[in-house]
Amino acid sequence: MKIGLFGGSFDPPHQGHRALAESALDHLGLDELRWLPAGRPWQRQHRLAAAEDRRAMVATAIADRAAFVLDDRELHRPGASYTIDTACELLAERPGAQLFLLIGEDQLQRLPTWHRWRALIERVTLAVAYRGAMREPPAELLAALQPEGRTIERLPMPPFDVSSTEIRARLAAAHSAQALAPHLLAPQVARYIDLHRLYATHP
């Protein structure tokens, strides 16, 4: 079984996340793609929206696609969220499964700073989103990959130049998430944000 792992704070989940997930399904031939909202991302600095809100936003964003699976284990795990722990748990649950870890090119460049990253790349195939020519991965990472004969899969991505950080800033200044361009947020996610008054600076 081919399983994609798509982790992140999803604060909020946006149409760029969806585009990457769809690209992974198509280009990797995945049986399922697991969206993994992070509990306490150890490299994140900003205060996250509540776990139950981020979980609910992901659930509503992916409800229309049977191959997308919400996996909330990291939200229930005490302490920091580490991808290696999730990979080990899934391989114990699904012996023989092939795991693909979806990351952006910026995350690829920082991968050698991740917790137990060498153990991680022994258990997953890296699937990296890129636009145009991808920069060479860090030399330390290439050296670790080569003895095992592992490769890095490349996922083409359509242009999406707005991050979750920028979307939160726009939401803080806007009266309504539904007023934002629909290419930024799925309508059902925008409705959830408005209903629960997430990211607003006004009372």
Side-chain angles (χ1 to χ4, degrees):
M1 189 174 191
K2 299 173 74 172
I3 302 174
L5 307 181
F6 189 18
S9 57
F10 300 122
D11 191 27
H14 55 63
Q15 298 289 47
H17 294 135
R18 178 68 184 240
L20 174 54
E22 295 285 359
S23 178
L25 282 181
D26 292 341
H27 291 273
L28 301 175
L30 300 177
D31 296 294
E32 66 179 37
L33 189 147
R34 293 187 169 237
W35 293 61
L36 293 146
R40 292 177 57 192
W42 64 280
Q43 289 187 323
R44 290 283 179 179
Q45 300 299 320
H46 78 274
R47 182 178 178 180
L48 299 176
E52 59 268 26
D53 288 320
R54 291 185 292 113
R55 182 193 187 284
M57 285 189 288
V58 171
T60 193
I62 68 175
D64 63 327
R65 198 73 150 93
F68 290 160
V69 177
L70 172 61
D71 187 328
D72 62 359
R73 72 183 67 216
E74 294 190 4
L75 296 177
H76 303 295
R77 186 181 297 150
S81 296
Y82 295 123
T83 305
I84 180 61
D85 297 332
T86 298
C88 289
E89 289 176 5
L90 274 170
L91 288 172
E93 295 166 10
R94 302 284 186 90
Q98 184 178 6
L99 303 183
F100 293 82
L101 177 64
L102 276 62
I103 57 176
E105 189 181 351
D106 57 336
Q107 293 170 303
L108 179 69
Q109 298 299 323
R110 296 195 303 268
L111 194 66
T113 70
W114 287 27
H115 180 66
R116 296 181 60 205
W117 70 273
R118 291 179 184 274
L120 178 63
I121 64 172
E122 291 175 0
R123 292 163 171 81
V124 304
T125 297
L126 299 176
V128 182
Y130 75 101
R131 298 181 181 91
M134 190 170 75
R135 288 180 294 162
E136 191 74 5
E140 187 180 4
L141 174 58
L142 282 178
L145 287 169
Q146 288 168 351
E148 302 297 327
R150 293 178 175 270
T151 60
I152 296 176
E153 297 284 347
R154 300 187 178 194
L155 301 175
M157 278 286 292
F160 190 86
D161 296 326
V162 180
S163 67
S164 290
T165 300
E166 293 173 88
I167 290 175
R168 289 194 303 273
R170 293 190 188 192
L171 289 170
H175 294 296
S176 166
Q178 295 173 78
L180 292 181
H183 72 277
L184 298 181
L185 295 169
Q188 61 272 29
V189 173
R191 285 194 295 270
Y192 184 93
I193 290 171
D194 285 343
L195 179 63
H196 295 273
R197 304 178 65 83
L198 302 181
Y199 310 114
T201 55
H202 53 275

